[in-house]
Amino acid sequence: MNKPRIVAAKTFFSRMNEGRSQWLTEERMLKSCEEFFRYNGYNDLDHGVTFAGHQGFVSPVIGSSEQETLATMFRPRLDRHDMAFFGALELALFDVLDNHEKATLVLVTDSLSYGAVTGMEELGVAIENLMDEGMYLLFVNGRAGHALYDEYKKLAAPVPVSD
């Protein structure tokens, strides 16, 4: 039986982004997100789902399993703190959490965003606050690489990887 080995988070993301220089498009991120959902048992997919609430948030794709529903919001490039975006993200998070049982919001971004999320204090604090409220963070690389986080502190924790 193969025991997963542990690598540093920075090493994991460095490998995840190896050879990449361009940010993913939303279309490519959508395909990667759908792939992540299928691979992880969220087989009930739906597109353009409106979540009632303060802003009537529309999720580009949702994935559901028997245990939970993950609604998505896409932001291909997280490399600066954008007050308007994070305000909309917070409203969407509360629309999903307050109005839909067993559902949470997942911010889907390019894995190239990892360095900015963990290295820029303002951006990191904004993401950490949203994750403390229940948001998940999904990094995709467009090449079948995925990393889903439910707590900000886990972003710096060692990552188990299979050979």
Side-chain angles (χ1 to χ4, degrees), residues 3-150:
K3 185 177 181 181
R5 61 189 170 92
I6 305 296
V7 298
K10 286 184 180 184
T11 302
F12 175 78
F13 277 94
S14 191
R15 289 180 184 162
M16 202 171 164
N17 292 326
E18 189 173 19
R20 294 189 57 222
S21 59
Q22 293 190 348
W23 296 85
L24 297 175
T25 63
E26 281 197 33
E27 180 180 327
R28 186 67 192 121
M29 287 179 55
L30 177 66
K31 290 178 183 176
S32 293
C33 184
E34 289 173 344
E35 181 181 277
F36 167 81
F37 282 154
R38 286 187 189 99
Y39 183 77
N40 289 284
Y42 296 92
N43 296 320
D44 187 10
L45 300 182
D46 206 354
H47 296 85
V49 176
T50 300
F51 286 83
H54 293 95
Q55 70 176 12
F57 164 67
V58 178
S59 175
V61 62
I62 65 166
S64 297
S65 69
E66 290 183 19
Q67 291 79 29
E68 68 182 333
T69 296
L70 300 179
T72 59
M73 182 176 262
F74 289 85
R75 186 64 160 209
R77 188 174 186 159
L78 286 174
D79 60 351
R80 63 185 177 90
H81 184 73
D82 180 346
M83 291 293 290
F85 171 71
F86 285 105
L89 186 59
E90 182 177 36
L91 287 174
L93 174 63
F94 292 128
D95 284 351
V96 171
L97 294 176
D98 292 346
N99 297 301
H100 303 279
E101 192 175 326
K102 295 187 195 179
T104 196
L105 182 69
V106 178
L107 172 58
V108 182
T109 190
D110 191 312
S111 60
L112 291 173
S113 297
Y114 175 80
V117 169
T118 58
M120 294 177 59
E121 186 174 355
E122 269 189 345
L123 182 57
V125 168
I127 295 291
E128 182 176 15
N129 290 338
L130 289 164
M131 292 181 83
D132 286 347
E133 294 293 336
M135 184 188 81
Y136 293 173
L137 182 60
L138 174 62
F139 293 100
V140 295
N141 69 357
R143 301 182 302 205
H146 312 101
L148 179 68
Y149 292 91
D150 60 351

